[in-house]
């Protein structure tokens, strides 16, 4: 599947992204149109109902080295989610947009192939899959899954130039960067560290593979910084696929090895929020020499990267909504406080005037004071109602509740064995810091 932009980056910014469209070739060979996120149009639609004024979109950029499992990850994520996950709260995923039917057929074909033992053939073309993330059958987030399959060190020549411009567009709009690290690369790092690689040539080959992976990651960070002012504020999720290839059976040790890898290669020395996770096609997966699945196809953990991204995206939207609502309430409360102060000052002026001291408060002045007291009482009442509303605002933040449900699923229902937050010193931190 081919993204059809054939224009330079500047024209792309001024036309394709501005207009919200791009051209692509469908799997049936026909030309069709896909739309980039049009936040302005989405906001207008959401403003029709107060509870939908929060911007709810996640643009997921998935990158990684060759044969790292990007296609397999997209396919298994979709099929894991369409059946729903979670017991106390149900989450699921649907394909949407003009290409929904072809996307579903494509994923179904790939997944059926894996059930029969056939791993997907590597795909070198970029693609974007449009999906909707749902909770209890309610759409809570629109998703653009942006799958970049080119090299992160691509030079702008010929076809590579087009792919690189597509990558820059994806990078510019990404809610979160996902970099896939294949489990065999991480296992090579572990083997070098523990001294189990004795052959010098083999060790050097593994070191070269690791160096290429680290260079790719640094290129991703540096390129994002060159085109986005908010690059340092955009989280990175290091996603280990094929974690069955890691020599450790324990999930905690698998995540620990990822943290060690990132720290050893100085990939944590940035302002990025960083998370880590892993998935596998099966803990006891067995492959033939021809890379066919013999036994043990039991996909695990594929929904976690998606749920981490959606949880982060909607929690950010919920936070922004709550801040905006708080600001409006604070302004209204301040106005009532000003009114109360002015009315009290007027009462004080009447009480302190010379005539009142000589003759007492006259009928006309008593009427004015009574009216002022009524206005003060009403202002205090309105202010109190706003303060109560402000105190209840957190409970009314539905996106924050959804993010909490996602966090509950990751930490409780999956026992937190697939993901963790990562601190700048390489220590595990709570995923709450991202939600």
């Amino acid at each position: 599947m081919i993204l059809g932009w054939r224009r330079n980056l500047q024209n792309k910014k001024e036309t394709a992204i501005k207009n919200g469209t791009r051209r692509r070739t469908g799997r049936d060979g026909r030309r069709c149109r896909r739309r980039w996120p049009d936040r302005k149009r989405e906001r207008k639609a959401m403003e029709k109902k107060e509870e939908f004024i929060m911007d709810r979109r996640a643009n997921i950029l998935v990158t990684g080295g060759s044969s790292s499992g990007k296609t397999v990850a997209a396919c298994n994520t979709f099929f894991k989610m369409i059946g729903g996950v979670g017991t106390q709260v149900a989450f699921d995923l649907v394909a949407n947009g003009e290409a929904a039917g072809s996307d579903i057929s494509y994923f179904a074909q790939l997944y059926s192939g894996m059930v029969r033992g056939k791993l997907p053939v590597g795909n070198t073309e970029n693609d974007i899959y449009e999906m909707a993330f749902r909770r209890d059958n309610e759409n809570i987030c629109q998703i653009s899954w942006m799958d970049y399959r080119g090299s992160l060190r691509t030079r702008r020549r010929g076809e590579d130039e087009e792919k690189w411009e597509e990558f820059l567009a994806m990078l510019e709009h990404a809610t979160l960067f996902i970099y896939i690290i294949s489990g065999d690369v991480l296992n090579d790092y572990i083997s070098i560290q523990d001294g189990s690689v004795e052959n010098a040539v083999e060790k050097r080959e593994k070191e070269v593979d690791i160096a290429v992976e680290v260079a790719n990651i640094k290129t991703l960070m540096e390129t994002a910084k060159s085109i986005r002012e908010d690059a340092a504020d955009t989280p990175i999720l290091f996603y280990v696929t094929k974690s069955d290839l890691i020599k450790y059976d324990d999930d905690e040790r698998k995540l620990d090895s990822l943290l060690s890898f990132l720290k050893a290669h100085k990939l944590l020395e940035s302002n990025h929020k960083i998370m880590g996770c892993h998935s596998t096609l099966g803990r006891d997966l067995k492959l033939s020499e021809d890379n066919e699945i013999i036994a043990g196809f039991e996909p695990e953990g594929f929904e976690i990267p998606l749920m981490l991204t959606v949880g982060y995206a909607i929690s950010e939207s919920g936070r922004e909504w709550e801040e905006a609502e708080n600001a409006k309430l604070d302004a209204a409360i301040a106005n009532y406080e000003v009114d109360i102060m002015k009315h009290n000052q007027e009462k004080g002026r009447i009480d302190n005037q010379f005539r009142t001291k000589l003759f007492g408060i006259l009928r006309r002045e008593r009427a004015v004071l009574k009216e002022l007291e009524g206005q003060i009482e009403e202002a205090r009442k309105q202010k109190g109602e706003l303060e109560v509303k402000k105190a209840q605002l957190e409970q009314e933040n539905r996106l924050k509740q959804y993010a909490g449900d996602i966090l509950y699923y990751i930490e409780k229902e999956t026992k937190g064995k697939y993901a963790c937050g990562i601190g700048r010193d390489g220590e595990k931190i709570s995923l709450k810091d991202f939600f």
Side-chain angles (χ1 to χ4, degrees):
M1 198 166 300
I2 301 174
L3 300 176
W5 284 344
R6 301 187 181 278
R7 55 180 71 94
N8 61 35
L9 179 59
Q10 184 60 32
N11 287 338
K12 174 271 299 179
K13 289 183 178 179
E14 294 177 354
T15 56
I17 293 178
K18 179 179 179 182
N19 297 332
T21 63
R22 69 182 179 93
R23 292 192 62 81
R24 75 193 279 271
T25 302
R27 293 188 177 90
D28 56 3
R30 294 179 295 177
R31 301 291 285 177
C32 58
R33 298 186 73 85
R34 282 268 182 106
R35 303 192 67 86
W36 281 100
D38 188 335
R39 293 180 179 274
K40 184 176 180 181
R41 185 175 64 253
E42 288 179 356
R43 287 194 185 101
K44 286 183 178 180
M46 287 190 232
E47 285 172 358
K48 293 180 181 180
K49 293 183 179 180
E50 183 178 355
E51 64 267 27
F52 291 123
I53 65 173
M54 296 178 264
D55 182 16
R56 300 177 294 173
R57 171 173 284 279
N59 300 323
I60 304 173
L61 173 60
V62 183
T63 62
S66 176
S67 301
S68 57
K70 295 183 287 292
T71 302
V72 170
C75 173
N76 280 279
T77 298
F78 184 79
F79 269 86
K80 173 71 174 183
M81 293 295 299
I82 61 173
V85 297
T87 54
Q88 292 196 5
V89 288
F91 303 100
D92 65 345
L93 195 66
V94 294
N96 63 2
E98 297 174 353
S102 61
D103 285 347
I104 293 172
S105 298
Y106 176 63
F107 286 139
Q109 182 180 7
L110 294 181
Y111 195 83
S112 296
M114 283 186 284
V115 171
R116 297 192 302 270
K118 300 288 186 180
L119 286 172
V121 177
N123 191 345
T124 60
E125 302 298 339
N126 301 334
D127 206 350
I128 297 179
Y129 307 110
E130 299 292 343
M131 307 175 185
F133 187 93
R134 307 190 303 180
R135 176 189 181 277
D136 294 330
N137 296 319
E138 176 190 0
N139 286 6
I140 65 172
C141 187
Q142 296 300 118
I143 296 168
S144 291
W145 181 291
M146 305 183 296
D147 195 348
Y148 176 66
R149 299 188 176 112
S151 168
L152 287 174
R153 297 182 308 283
T154 298
R155 289 296 169 258
R156 305 175 182 91
R157 291 196 300 266
E159 183 181 352
D160 285 346
E161 179 179 355
E162 180 183 347
K163 286 187 178 181
W164 185 257
E165 291 182 3
E166 292 165 1
F167 168 66
L168 292 175
M170 293 175 177
L171 190 65
E172 185 177 3
H173 288 80
T175 302
L176 181 148
F177 309 139
I178 297 180
Y179 188 88
I180 290 182
I181 302 175
S182 178
D184 53 357
V185 174
L186 200 56
N187 199 57
D188 287 347
Y189 166 75
I190 297 170
S191 299
I192 291 173
Q193 293 300 111
D194 64 18
S196 59
V197 182
E198 297 180 356
N199 185 286
V201 175
E202 182 184 358
K203 180 179 179 182
R204 183 56 182 160
E205 289 176 347
K206 293 181 183 300
E207 289 174 342
V208 169
D209 290 341
I210 291 171
V212 170
E213 198 81 344
V214 172
N216 281 338
I217 296 170
K218 290 184 176 179
T219 298
L220 173 65
M221 293 180 174
E222 291 166 2
T223 306
K225 186 177 179 180
S226 69
I227 67 172
R228 291 179 57 150
E229 293 182 358
D230 66 341
D233 298 323
T234 304
I236 297 178
L237 173 60
F238 290 106
Y239 174 18
V240 179
T241 55
K242 309 177 188 179
S243 67
D244 55 290
L245 297 178
I246 299 174
K247 60 175 61 180
Y248 304 136
D249 292 330
D250 182 76
D251 291 299
E252 188 171 351
R253 291 194 71 185
K254 291 180 180 182
L255 290 174
D256 286 342
S257 64
L258 171 62
L259 271 61
S260 175
F261 174 86
L262 297 175
K263 185 176 181 180
H265 294 94
K266 304 184 185 305
L267 297 172
L268 301 176
E269 297 177 3
S270 68
N271 293 324
H272 290 278
K273 289 183 175 180
I274 295 178
M275 294 179 281
C277 67
H278 73 93
S279 69
T280 178
L281 283 176
R283 293 178 182 270
D284 299 314
L285 189 70
K286 295 181 180 179
L287 300 177
S288 69
E289 293 182 357
D290 297 326
N291 210 32
E292 294 186 354
I293 300 173
I294 299 174
F297 178 68
E298 294 289 340
E300 290 186 18
F302 284 98
E303 77 278 16
I304 300 301
L306 173 70
M307 298 186 78
L308 285 170
T309 305
V310 172
Y312 169 77
I314 63 176
S315 64
E316 285 292 290
S317 294
R319 178 186 58 77
E320 292 170 3
W321 175 84
E322 193 169 319
E323 287 178 354
E325 291 298 300
N326 268 318
K328 288 190 289 186
L329 290 172
D330 285 340
I333 289 171
N335 287 336
Y336 283 119
E337 289 174 344
V338 170
D339 290 342
I340 292 170
M341 180 183 68
K342 288 181 178 179
H343 297 330
N344 277 324
Q345 288 176 343
E346 180 64 14
K347 280 184 60 181
R349 185 189 66 78
I350 294 174
D351 287 338
N352 292 327
Q353 62 184 343
F354 179 74
R355 185 176 57 182
T356 300
K357 292 181 179 179
L358 289 176
F359 304 106
I361 299 178
L362 302 179
R363 181 186 300 175
R364 178 173 61 81
E365 293 165 333
R366 285 198 296 269
V368 171
L369 288 176
K370 185 176 181 180
E371 181 179 355
L372 288 171
E373 288 169 353
Q375 292 173 339
I376 291 172
E377 183 180 354
E378 179 63 22
R380 285 174 175 164
K381 177 183 175 182
Q382 295 294 331
K383 177 190 171 191
E385 291 176 356
L386 291 177
E387 288 172 337
V388 170
K389 185 175 181 179
K390 183 178 177 182
Q392 296 175 342
L393 198 59
E394 183 174 354
Q395 285 71 43
E396 296 174 3
N397 191 336
R398 295 174 66 189
L399 292 189
K400 194 170 184 178
Q401 295 169 14
Y402 297 151
D405 292 339
I406 290 173
L407 183 63
Y408 177 87
Y409 173 81
I410 295 171
E411 291 193 334
K412 303 298 182 181
E413 294 197 26
T414 68
K415 299 179 175 60
K417 61 184 180 181
Y418 297 110
C420 68
I422 303 175
R424 298 182 69 175
D425 293 326
E427 76 281 9
K428 292 179 183 176
I429 60 175
S430 173
L431 288 171
K432 290 181 180 179
D433 294 346
F434 301 85
F435 287 69

